Amino acid sequence: MEWLSHLSGGFATAVSLHNLALCFTGVMLGTAIGVLPGVGPLVTIAILIPMTYALEPTSALIMLAGIYYGAQYGGSTTAILVNLPGESGSVVTCIDGHTMARNGRAGAALAIAAIGSFFAGTVGTLLIAGFAPYLSKIALSFAPADYFSLMVLGLVAAVVLASGGLLKAFGMILIGLLLGTVGIDLTTGTPRYTFGSFDLVDGLDFTALAMGLFAFGDIMANAGKTHDRQMMQGSIRGLWPNRQEFREAWPAVLRGTALGSILGLLPGGGATLSSFASYSIEKKISRTPERFGNGAPAGVAAPEAANNAGAQSSFIPMLTLGIPSNGVMAMMIGAMMIHNIVPGPEVMSRNADLFWGLVASMWIGNLLLVIINLPLIGLWVSFLRIPYAYLFLGILVFSMIGLYSITNSSVQIFMAAGFGVLGYAVNRLGCEPAPLLLGFILGPMIEVYARRALLLSQGDPSVFVTEPLSAVLLLTALGLLASVLSPSIRRRREEVFAEE
């Protein structure tokens, strides 16, 4: 049980006063942005990445991770009380959670969401601690062709599972791949698409791209919108489910945790996909499906457990393989690169304190969320009274300060402004920007591993199909793409994302 000794060392790192304070800061910020619709963890992490330069890598990742899984908690609070999901993974929670609140069971709904989230987060943390070391050892035996095919599978899965049309998602991936080619070719030393600009020699800055695409683009897309925020009247009583509600909720928590833990591993999966899938399954297997939509405790327990389990397990491919399963994980990889940490299977051997400290902080963060969430319900709901004009102005100011601090130059600000226009255009066209970010992160890696494989095979491209593992991964990607193009699956996929 070597991983237990590593985990105890991780707890020693995580409970240091500095890291504990940053974990608390992360989950508090995550809860706050989970409450506020139109912000989300992607925007917040994009804003805060340049501000983590002064922190140790472990401390920075602990805080950024806390923002992500903290947002899953915060989104459920307003979904239940205000019928306004602050985070996409909490959309399904509105259906039965807000109905329970209108029926006088708001406290029970919040408690079910908190308990289910904590249990799922604990299981997700144990999965990372238990399976990540073995997955890292397996990954170390991968040949360059295997890595190439694995990343191709990741991009295909991101296309298939992205919301919106397949063609739009594929277009976003291609744009990301093209943006990733800007800069010096590491193999030949030749500048590519720099147009003679010295500022582009090192490639496009990840922080400027992320902040422009999500923060600036989000401001332009949402600044003129108004939101109907009907606050629930009256006090919240009975912050604990009764025996019948608990009996209905706990099997749903178990099933949601299991499903979310699996779906979180998939590229393009994570919290949102897990919550929708778990709700659909609970409704189908229920003996009383007519109760769903009318305040069924299982309709709150399952999606909340699933989205938190999905959020936690999505760290596994990011930490062990260096492959992001969603946009937030792409941000985390960007943060690691900024701190000169190469994501992949060697993280556990070269940066053991970082890996195990991050894993231990996840359990501590989930415990902190349970402790602080329920007593501060009134504070979180009051956040919804903040006018959007003030909110977005603050985001803009902090973003520009962070961008300028990267190189003490205004170049990053102008670059982010350009990507902000791109982000706005993407939003107006109904495209999801996360696949673009995945393409930008994985594109250079795909190129590197493809070239290594071709060099080792002396230019023979058949190496990608003659290597057994590489062939299986490519066939899986091809099968996944072919299946989603079938009329029935394509129609069902469009219905699911239309509901979302």
Side-chain angles (χ1 to χ4, degrees):
M1 303 293 279
E2 184 182 356
W3 66 274
L4 284 176
S5 63
H6 287 305
L7 192 58
S8 64
F11 272 103
T13 301
V15 298
S16 68
L17 187 61
H18 181 63
N19 288 338
L20 202 58
L22 287 171
C23 181
F24 179 79
T25 302
V27 296
M28 287 289 283
L29 280 173
T31 303
I33 62 100
V35 165
L36 293 169
V39 185
L42 273 170
V43 176
T44 309
I45 292 174
I47 295 169
L48 292 178
I49 279 180
M51 299 182 186
T52 64
Y53 285 169
L55 299 175
E56 291 292 326
T58 303
S59 303
L61 290 177
I62 284 174
M63 185 180 71
L64 295 177
I67 291 171
Y68 180 41
Y69 57 79
Q72 313 309 317
Y73 276 73
S76 65
T77 301
T78 46
I80 291 169
L81 298 181
V82 193
N83 199 29
L84 187 64
E87 222 280 320
S88 59
S90 299
V91 172
V92 183
T93 308
C94 291
I95 301 172
D96 286 280
H98 189 61
T99 305
M100 287 183 70
R102 292 203 313 268
N103 294 338
R105 300 300 297 164
L110 290 166
I112 288 170
I115 294 169
S117 297
F118 175 70
F119 177 81
T122 300
V123 171
T125 302
L126 290 174
L127 285 174
I128 297 173
F131 287 99
Y134 299 105
L135 192 57
S136 290
K137 290 179 181 178
I138 294 171
L140 287 172
S141 64
F142 279 18
D146 301 330
Y147 257 114
F148 168 82
S149 300
L150 181 64
M151 291 179 182
V152 169
L153 174 61
L155 289 181
V156 169
V159 169
V160 170
L161 296 173
S163 60
L166 288 174
L167 189 60
K168 291 179 179 179
F170 187 69
M172 291 295 97
I173 290 284
L174 283 181
I175 292 173
L177 291 173
L178 290 172
L179 292 176
T181 62
V182 175
I184 294 290
D185 185 335
L186 295 178
T187 303
T188 64
T190 305
R192 299 185 299 189
Y193 309 114
T194 60
F195 303 102
S197 172
F198 181 76
D199 294 312
L200 296 178
V201 168
D202 291 329
L204 296 172
D205 185 77
F206 171 82
T207 308
L209 172 65
M211 199 173 288
L213 196 63
F214 293 98
F216 289 9
D218 194 75
I219 289 172
M220 287 188 277
N222 291 299
K225 292 182 179 179
T226 57
H227 296 271
D228 182 21
R229 301 176 179 180
Q230 297 294 327
M231 302 294 178
M232 197 191 77
Q233 303 299 319
S235 59
I236 299 171
R237 301 174 183 175
L239 281 175
W240 195 254
N242 58 37
R243 186 176 298 178
Q244 178 61 30
E245 289 167 337
F246 186 78
R247 190 182 296 116
E248 293 180 28
W250 75 262
V253 168
L254 295 177
R255 286 188 290 266
T257 299
L259 183 64
S261 298
I262 296 170
L263 294 180
L265 299 172
L266 299 177
T272 304
L273 178 66
S274 301
S275 62
F276 275 86
S278 66
Y279 186 85
S280 299
I281 289 174
E282 287 300 317
K283 189 174 181 179
K284 286 182 179 179
I285 67 175
S286 174
R287 295 179 180 178
T288 55
E290 67 278 0
R291 291 193 60 199
F292 284 77
N294 295 300
V300 177
E304 283 303 306
N307 69 31
N308 278 274
Q312 299 285 97
S313 63
S314 62
F315 281 88
I316 296 177
M318 188 274 288
L319 289 171
T320 58
L321 301 174
I323 295 179
S325 57
N326 52 52
V328 175
M329 291 303 104
M331 291 281 192
M332 297 294 288
I333 284 183
M336 292 172 73
M337 290 178 171
I338 286 170
H339 288 277
N340 296 318
I341 296 172
V342 179
E346 294 185 354
V347 168
M348 292 189 65
S349 56
R350 294 184 178 180
N351 306 96
D353 288 344
L354 180 146
F355 178 86
W356 292 107
L358 178 60
V359 171
S361 75
M362 291 179 184
W363 187 85
I364 295 172
N366 276 280
L367 181 61
L368 288 173
L369 283 165
V370 174
I371 295 171
I372 66 177
N373 246 23
L374 296 180
L376 297 180
I377 288 170
L379 173 65
W380 303 133
V381 175
S382 68
F383 271 32
L384 292 170
R385 297 188 176 92
I386 299 175
Y388 263 65
Y390 299 155
L391 185 66
F392 289 140
L393 181 62
I395 292 173
L396 189 62
V397 170
F398 280 108
S399 298
M400 294 178 71
I401 292 172
L403 285 167
Y404 186 82
S405 67
I406 296 174
T407 57
N408 292 326
S409 169
S410 59
V411 172
Q412 306 294 337
I413 296 176
F414 289 113
M415 195 179 293
F419 288 125
V421 174
L422 175 63
Y424 175 73
V426 164
N427 184 280
R428 293 288 294 175
L429 291 171
C431 300
E432 186 179 350
L436 188 154
L437 196 63
L438 292 176
F440 181 77
I441 291 289
L442 293 180
M445 298 183 191
I446 288 176
E447 182 182 9
V448 167
Y449 285 115
R451 286 186 169 185
R452 286 180 185 175
L454 291 171
L455 283 172
L456 291 173
S457 66
Q458 299 181 345
D460 183 7
S462 66
V463 66
F464 298 110
V465 293
T466 54
E467 290 284 342
L469 181 57
S470 176
V472 169
L473 292 171
L474 288 177
L475 284 173
T476 304
L478 186 62
L480 189 61
L481 195 58
S483 66
V484 81
L485 290 174
S486 68
S488 59
I489 296 178
R490 190 175 181 179
R491 193 180 310 113
R492 177 56 185 160
R493 178 183 179 277
E494 291 172 356
E495 289 174 359
V496 169
F497 287 117
E499 293 172 5
E500 181 180 337

